[in-house]
Amino acid sequence: MSEYEGPPSVSLSAPSLADLQSVPTPGPSSYFSMNSPAAFTPSTPMDHGIEPTIQNIVSTVNLGCRLDLKKIALNARNAEYNPKRFAAVIMRIREPRTTAFVI
């Protein structure tokens, strides 16, 4: 058996300035102007009666103080706190359907 010599070495070198200057770059005509109607208009009509609706909104706030999660869960309605399962108070409101995590 022969001794293991390790992986073959690879030599990498940075491209020269001449190599970089020979790469074609797109001109200004290839970009959409924000004032161009083509930037906002689809190429084919897309009105299929589909109306987008908001499904999820995420927001965060830092109150700058420590909160007693156990006390919050015991005194608030529709709140659950199980620190072994999840380290936050979960508060739910039925209408509008909302869930808040107090961490």
Side-chain angles (χ1 to χ4, degrees):
M1 289 178 76
S2 65
E3 286 187 36
Y4 177 72
E5 296 179 17
S9 62
V10 177
S11 175
L12 297 176
S13 62
S16 69
L17 183 59
D19 292 338
L20 293 175
Q21 289 174 340
S22 66
V23 175
T25 56
S29 63
S30 65
Y31 294 102
F32 284 115
S33 167
M34 292 307 286
N35 298 326
S36 167
F40 301 104
T41 307
S43 60
T44 57
M46 300 287 285
D47 188 16
H48 299 288
I50 298 172
E51 185 175 324
T53 59
I54 296 173
Q55 294 293 320
N56 191 25
I57 298 174
V58 177
S59 173
T60 60
V61 64
N62 183 350
L63 299 176
C65 63
R66 296 185 76 53
L67 301 174
D68 185 346
L69 299 180
K70 185 181 263 187
K71 194 176 209 178
I72 292 171
L74 291 173
N75 292 304
R77 285 186 165 175
N78 300 322
E80 60 182 86
Y81 179 55
N82 185 351
K84 291 180 181 177
R85 189 167 160 224
F86 187 58
V89 174
I90 302 171
M91 303 179 83
R92 299 182 198 280
I93 302 171
R94 289 188 185 144
E95 194 57 41
R97 189 173 155 214
T98 308
T99 302
F101 297 105
V102 181
I103 299 175

